[in-house]
Amino acid sequence: MFSQGAVDHSLGISDLDINNTAVWSIISTRGGYSQLEEMMSLLSVPVMCSQMYFKSGEKIRKGYLLIGYYYTGTQDYDIKWTMPHCVLTLRLIGVSYDVYDGRKEMDKLTQDQKKSALGNIPSLLEIGGHTYFFGGFLVGPQFSMKRYLNFVSGVFAGRGKVKKPECILPALSRLALGMVVLGVFQIGTLFIPEHYILSSFFEHETFWKKIFIMTLWGKIVLYKYIACWLLSEGSCIMAGLTYNGQDEQGNDLWDGCCNVKLWEYEKTSNFDGVIKSFNINTNLWVAQYIFKRLKFLGNKLLSQAATLLFLALWHGLHSGYYVCFFNEFMVMKMEKDVSSLVDRIPTIKAVLSSGAFQIPLYLLKKCYVLFGMSYCVAPFVLLSASRWLKVYSSLYYVCHIIYLGWPVVYFIIKKMGLVSKEVSNRSKSD
């Protein structure tokens, strides 16, 4: 929604009323699938935010989404009411938690919780505007109710300013970048379509050629998601929602809802860098509302596993989602173990840190990440077990042999005394 302040200072248009804009956004963006389910979810928020019904409310929202997946799911991607409803589910869960946090004492909240906590339950109109904001109702980005309320009240724009924030050029830049990425995806799929890696032709290729083709296919297919996020972010920037203050030179920043850092994503040579630059807002959301609230488990690995299970359930019931996030769990565990191991063996660390090894090491790690990423996300894209098992069998489950075999190798290394208990404990704490 445009606020008076945001519109005045961003686009130069005045006399737009937030109420009319919120109603218009709800009506115009939700046509084409059942609106009754969506409106019932919205109407339940004020009740579910109460202390009495908070926990049951979250279970109802998650359960309703899963029931929708069960009755509407097919073997392919389903463009049905469940697609935007999964975004709505996260958004309403976030609002409930923010209201819940707002009733606590401030000294008991984390810094993230202080930024998003709400002292009062938002009105139905505010909940509707936040949920159905045209820039993020379909594929994200996720943003807090606090950010939305600041946006519509003119806090970001600054009502007393004379200068208009320079949002148009950054918005068009993200639009142009999104179109370029979308073009790369469309052209790339002409050369390596999904049905090729499922064909007998791919199955009978040499092993190394299959790895090369799989790496290219995975790289190309992920551009589909990146393009959607860039286009969506561009519309949010144009509206003024993403305003994030100014840099040291006084230039306006518009990265408040940035969902992908494309340059960081392209240049990173480890999976931690991929996670930090890819689907950023969803990762931040699950970190704040799920992972950090699982401290009572007393184990970071358990918290990570539970968080990834939540993400898989949120995406749907296809087996591919669960295999994909299980892959992520294994990859990150192995990467942290190897990193901590190298840090504690001076000889290996000195060799890998020498200038002569930097470029070859980077290229080796980059190739590993490119293929590993393609291998791990294949079930996410292919969805059904018959498909991703066919691809994995063609690749002889090479990555799973490495990832599942690593704990055994690491155990042997520890037994041989090549790594101290301190390293093992630090790996667990990380």
Side-chain angles (χ1 to χ4, degrees):
M1 264 44 60
F2 295 108
S3 68
Q4 179 75 39
V7 173
D8 284 347
H9 294 281
S10 179
L11 301 177
I13 303 172
S14 60
D15 298 324
L16 286 180
D17 183 80
I18 178 178
N19 296 342
N20 294 335
T21 312
V23 173
W24 172 85
S25 186
I26 292 173
I27 294 173
S28 64
T29 59
R30 309 311 275 190
Y33 62 90
S34 178
Q35 296 179 359
L36 178 61
E37 292 91 344
E38 307 298 315
M39 295 309 298
M40 289 299 294
S41 296
L42 288 186
L43 291 171
S44 69
V45 172
V47 177
M48 297 306 182
C49 284
S50 65
Q51 190 80 14
M52 183 181 301
Y53 298 107
F54 174 72
K55 292 184 179 180
S56 61
E58 302 316 302
K59 294 177 182 177
I60 290 173
R61 291 194 188 98
K62 296 172 192 173
Y64 183 72
L65 178 63
L66 292 178
I67 291 172
Y69 283 143
Y70 178 79
Y71 281 103
T72 65
T74 65
Q75 294 299 310
D76 297 304
Y77 277 107
D78 303 304
I79 310 300
K80 299 178 181 178
W81 65 266
T82 52
M83 182 178 179
H85 193 82
C86 73
V87 178
L88 177 146
T89 299
L90 283 198
R91 203 155 286 175
L92 295 186
I93 289 175
V95 172
S96 298
Y97 270 119
D98 291 338
V99 174
Y100 182 77
D101 292 338
R103 292 169 177 166
K104 297 180 181 178
E105 297 179 8
M106 291 298 291
D107 57 352
K108 294 183 179 179
L109 301 178
T110 65
Q111 290 301 318
D112 291 336
Q113 291 171 350
K114 289 178 181 178
K115 291 179 181 179
S116 59
L118 299 170
N120 300 303
I121 298 177
S123 68
L124 183 60
L125 183 61
E126 290 170 335
I127 294 172
H130 173 240
T131 301
Y132 297 124
F133 180 74
F134 60 84
F137 81 96
L138 192 59
V139 295
Q142 291 292 338
F143 51 89
S144 67
M145 172 64 82
K146 192 71 167 288
R147 168 171 284 278
Y148 175 77
L149 293 178
N150 287 338
F151 163 61
V152 297
S153 63
V155 171
F156 290 161
R159 294 180 183 275
K161 286 186 176 182
V162 176
K163 179 184 176 183
K164 301 174 184 177
E166 304 290 341
C167 72
I168 297 179
L169 184 59
L172 295 178
S173 297
R174 298 306 267 184
L175 170 64
L177 185 58
M179 295 300 292
V180 170
V181 173
L182 185 60
V184 172
F185 165 73
Q186 293 288 0
I187 295 173
T189 52
L190 295 177
F191 293 93
I192 311 179
E194 179 181 307
H195 62 78
Y196 177 74
I197 66 169
L198 296 171
S199 67
S200 58
F201 296 102
F202 177 79
E203 190 175 359
H204 291 94
E205 296 283 6
T206 63
F207 177 68
W208 294 109
K209 188 173 182 180
K210 283 189 284 190
I211 287 182
F212 178 71
I213 293 172
M214 188 69 185
T215 301
L216 289 180
W217 173 81
K219 185 67 175 177
I220 292 168
V221 78
L222 287 176
Y223 282 139
K224 171 175 62 177
Y225 305 98
I226 293 174
C228 291
W229 294 333
L230 289 171
L231 296 174
S232 180
E233 183 189 349
S235 67
C236 293
I237 294 174
M238 185 69 78
L241 176 69
T242 66
Y243 185 69
N244 203 25
Q246 297 180 327
D247 61 17
E248 296 179 354
Q249 288 73 39
N251 299 313
D252 292 323
L253 298 175
W254 298 97
D255 58 354
C257 294
C258 179
N259 213 24
V260 59
K261 296 179 180 178
L262 191 56
W263 175 242
E264 297 297 324
Y265 169 76
E266 294 294 347
K267 74 175 185 178
T268 187
S269 60
N270 56 66
F271 281 98
D272 185 61
V274 171
I275 292 175
K276 290 179 178 178
S277 59
F278 185 86
N279 204 5
I280 297 171
N281 287 290
T282 300
N283 292 335
L284 292 175
W285 190 98
V286 294
Q288 178 177 346
Y289 294 107
I290 306 298
F291 177 75
K292 293 181 180 179
R293 297 174 191 268
L294 295 175
K295 286 185 178 180
F296 65 89
L297 295 177
N299 186 294
K300 280 193 174 182
L301 285 179
L302 285 178
S303 297
Q304 290 170 357
T307 301
L308 292 174
L309 178 59
F310 173 87
L311 278 174
L313 283 168
W314 174 63
H315 279 91
L317 300 178
H318 292 292
S319 61
Y321 294 135
Y322 300 87
V323 175
C324 176
F325 287 107
F326 175 68
N327 291 343
E328 180 181 339
F329 179 81
M330 293 191 299
V331 165
M332 294 308 300
K333 179 66 171 64
M334 176 177 166
E335 185 172 283
K336 289 177 181 178
D337 286 345
V338 172
S339 179
S340 64
L341 183 62
V342 169
D343 287 342
R344 297 297 295 179
I345 303 179
T347 303
I348 296 179
K349 185 176 182 181
V351 171
L352 296 180
S353 300
S354 62
F357 279 90
Q358 291 305 299
I359 294 180
L361 181 62
Y362 172 81
L363 293 176
L364 180 63
K365 290 168 62 179
K366 186 64 179 177
C367 291
Y368 161 72
V369 168
L370 286 174
F371 173 68
M373 187 70 177
S374 300
Y375 183 96
C376 289
V377 302
F380 188 97
V381 178
L382 301 175
L383 298 178
S384 62
S386 60
R387 293 179 180 179
W388 56 261
L389 281 173
K390 183 177 179 63
V391 174
Y392 276 175
S393 63
S394 297
L395 296 168
Y396 311 112
Y397 299 91
V398 58
C399 287
H400 279 94
I401 293 174
I402 296 173
Y403 300 146
L404 294 176
W406 169 250
V408 177
V409 174
Y410 194 53
F411 176 79
I412 295 174
I413 292 174
K414 289 190 293 182
K415 285 297 183 181
M416 293 174 62
L418 297 178
V419 58
S420 65
K421 290 184 178 181
E422 180 183 351
V423 180
S424 180
N425 292 335
R426 190 175 73 173
S427 177
K428 289 180 180 180
S429 65
D430 289 341

